[in-house]
């Protein structure tokens, strides 16, 4: 992207924003953790694929070759994004679908009394598939608890659940509710000492930082392109040698090769082309044209991270000046995702704030965001709280609008201890 408009940090958010047609509708999007907006290049790649000759993967007709090349290019792109072997990149409908399938496949290798560890911090997609799979084979589920006051999940929290029977540790790379980034590398090292596999939910993490699955110690790493500017599909990365040891249920005539063995039915070629375009877009978002795509991705995502962290600090400073806002995202190492509630403003305050902000063109939803266990542990039950998430296209103007709208919301809501119920808004 051009040099004009670059901020002191060298990140040209204006040039980034110009590539997102959806932003022209005018909303300030703090809903990126639920799904990011998409740049023109991704939409173009999806559309171009759908209108060009395409058949099932093969090497005979041009249409077959086009499908084959799209798949191989997408595996290479995800390999670069995650520093993973393209031969171990599996595509699927969603992270949830891939995790359910992998949980069943791995559970087929477990014995009654074997153990799996899940964490209370995780999205349910990295909890329930393991619980259900464990139940089917008589394995035991052990829970690693995080500390609500600090929002931290420590290596000790997980390590104390490990035993010689642990077969798998499922842990998030970053919490989509609180932003907490647990020490996955240390957790993985402790798990590996006991001979357990490590499954990392990278859905929230991948959008916010350069990821290196090898450095994280993840044996299996799942993510979703629609959280990092791409289309709606899921990705699982693992070493091909590990995948070779596993036997997922499959159709008789479908390929037995890795990674195809894990991909059920026909792949969504247009979404894979969009995924490659998203990775290429990320590589170019804040890096010079020189270098390998992996090098440009690392530089770009580091720049995205600095940009988002600066805006997060601005939001935190602004929130500190607002009465009765409680910020629950307190972990030392975290993504720019803030969970908020309102002290003394009644049980519906987060939902009211969500609607109030939406009416002012500020999209910051309230809920559990499927991190149901974490929400319950924080005391928010099934209602959850208000989540403010940043994305590469978030700018200072968005932050101003958020803080102004929250201030107006708080002005309009009488504190609970001064009256009976919150004044209804709008
Ligand atoms: C941290 C995290 N894990 C898993 C998921 C589920 O991903 P998918 O929608 O691809 O199944 C989400 C979706 O919000 C998420 O934020």
């Amino acid at each position: 992207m051009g040099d004009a408009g670059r901020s002191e940090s060298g990140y040209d958010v204006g040039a980034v924003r110009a590539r997102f047609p959806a932003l022209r509708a005018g909303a300030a999007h703090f809903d990126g953790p639920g799904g990011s907006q998409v740049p023109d290049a991704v939409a173009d790649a999806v559309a171009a694929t759908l209108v060009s000759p395409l058949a099932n993967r093969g090497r005979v007709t041009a249409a077959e070759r086009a499908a084959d090349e799209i798949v191989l290019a997408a595996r290479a792109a995800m390999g670069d994004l995650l520093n993973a072997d393209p031969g171990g990149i599996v595509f699927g409908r969603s992270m949830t679908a891939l995790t359910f399938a992998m949980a069943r496949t791995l559970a087929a290798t477990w014995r009654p009394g074997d153990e799996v560890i899940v964490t209370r911090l995780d999205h349910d997609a990295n909890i329930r598939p393991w619980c259900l799979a464990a139940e089917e084979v008589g394995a035991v589920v052990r829970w690693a608890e995080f500390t609500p006051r600090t929002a931290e999940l420590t290596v000790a929290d997980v390590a104390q659940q490990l035993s010689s029977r642990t077969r798998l540790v499922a842990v998030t790379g970053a919490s989509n509710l609180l932003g907490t980034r647990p020490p996955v590398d240390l957790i993985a090292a402790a798990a590996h000492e006991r001979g357990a596999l490590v499954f990392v939910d990278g859905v929230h993490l991948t959008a916010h930082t350069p990821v290196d699955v090898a450095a994280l110690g993840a044996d299996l790493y799942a993510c979703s392109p629609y959280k990092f500017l791409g289309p709606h599909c899921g990705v699982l990365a693992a070493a091909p040698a590990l995948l070779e040891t596993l036997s997922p249920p499959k159709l008789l005539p479908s390929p037995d090769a890795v990674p195809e063995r894990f991909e059920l039915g026909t792949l969504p070629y247009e979404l894979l082309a969009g995924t490659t375009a998203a990775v290429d877009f990320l590589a170019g978002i804040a890096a010079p044209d020189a270098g390998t795509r992996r090098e440009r991705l690392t530089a770009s995502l580091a720049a995205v991270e600095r940009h988002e962290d600066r805006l997060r600090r601005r939001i935190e400073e602004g929130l500190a000046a607002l009465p009765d806002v409680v910020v629950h995202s307190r972990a030392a190492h975290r993504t720019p995702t803030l969970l908020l509630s309102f002290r003394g403003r009644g049980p519906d305050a987060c939902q009211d704030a969500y609607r109030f902000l939406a009416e002012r063109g500020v999209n910051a939803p309230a809920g559990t965001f499927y991190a149901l266990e974490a929400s319950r542990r924080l005391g928010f039950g099934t209602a959850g709280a208000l989540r403010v998430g940043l994305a590469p296209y978030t700018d200072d103007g968005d932050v101003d609008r958020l803080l102004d709208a929250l201030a107006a919301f708080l002005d309009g809501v009488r504190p609970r201890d001064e009256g009976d119920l919150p004044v209804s808004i709008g």
Side-chain angles (χ1 to χ4, degrees), residues 33 94-96 123 125 174 176 201 203-204 224 226-227:
S94 62
M95 179 275 185
T96 302
H123 185 287
N176 65 314
D201 175 356
V203 174
H204 186 59
S224 308
Y226 76 96
K227 308 284 192 183

Side-chain angles (χ1 to χ4, degrees), residues 111-153:
R111 293 176 188 287
D114 279 350
E115 296 174 2
V116 294
I117 298 178
V118 295
T119 94
R120 202 73 71 181
L121 187 65
D122 270 83
H123 185 287
D124 216 52
N126 202 27
I127 295 177
R128 220 55 54 187
W130 304 112
C131 294
L132 294 173
E135 197 179 319
E136 269 173 36
V137 299
V140 176
V141 176
R142 298 180 66 138
W143 289 83
E145 304 287 347
F146 72 100
T147 304
R149 185 175 39 80
T150 59
E152 299 279 9
L153 176 79

Side-chain angles (χ1 to χ4, degrees), residues 253-322:
S254 68
D256 196 34
V258 166
E260 284 80 2
R261 192 192 294 177
F262 294 85
E263 294 173 326
L264 304 178
T266 309
L267 288 172
Y269 302 122
E270 65 278 14
L271 304 186
L272 300 200
T275 298
T276 303
V279 172
D280 283 332
F281 182 86
L282 282 171
I285 209 168
D289 288 341
T292 64
R293 182 166 56 189
R294 173 70 191 162
E295 286 164 354
R296 289 185 297 120
L297 280 163
T298 306
S300 269
L301 282 156
V304 166
E305 193 168 18
R306 285 192 297 275
H307 170 72
E308 292 181 351
D309 276 346
R310 182 182 69 77
L311 294 179
R312 168 174 67 80
R313 285 193 295 276
R314 264 206 66 204
I315 295 174
E316 285 168 347
E317 281 159 24
L319 293 177
L322 294 178

Side-chain angles (χ1 to χ4, degrees), residues 155 162 183-196 198 215-219:
V155 63
L162 284 165
V184 171
D185 53 343
L186 301 179
I187 291 169
H192 289 152
E193 253 176 52
R194 298 295 193 124
V198 177
L216 281 175
D219 298 297

Side-chain angles (χ1 to χ4, degrees), residues 31-36 226-227 232 369 387:
D31 49 5
S36 57
Y226 76 96
K227 308 284 192 183
H232 292 84
F369 310 102
R387 183 175 70 179

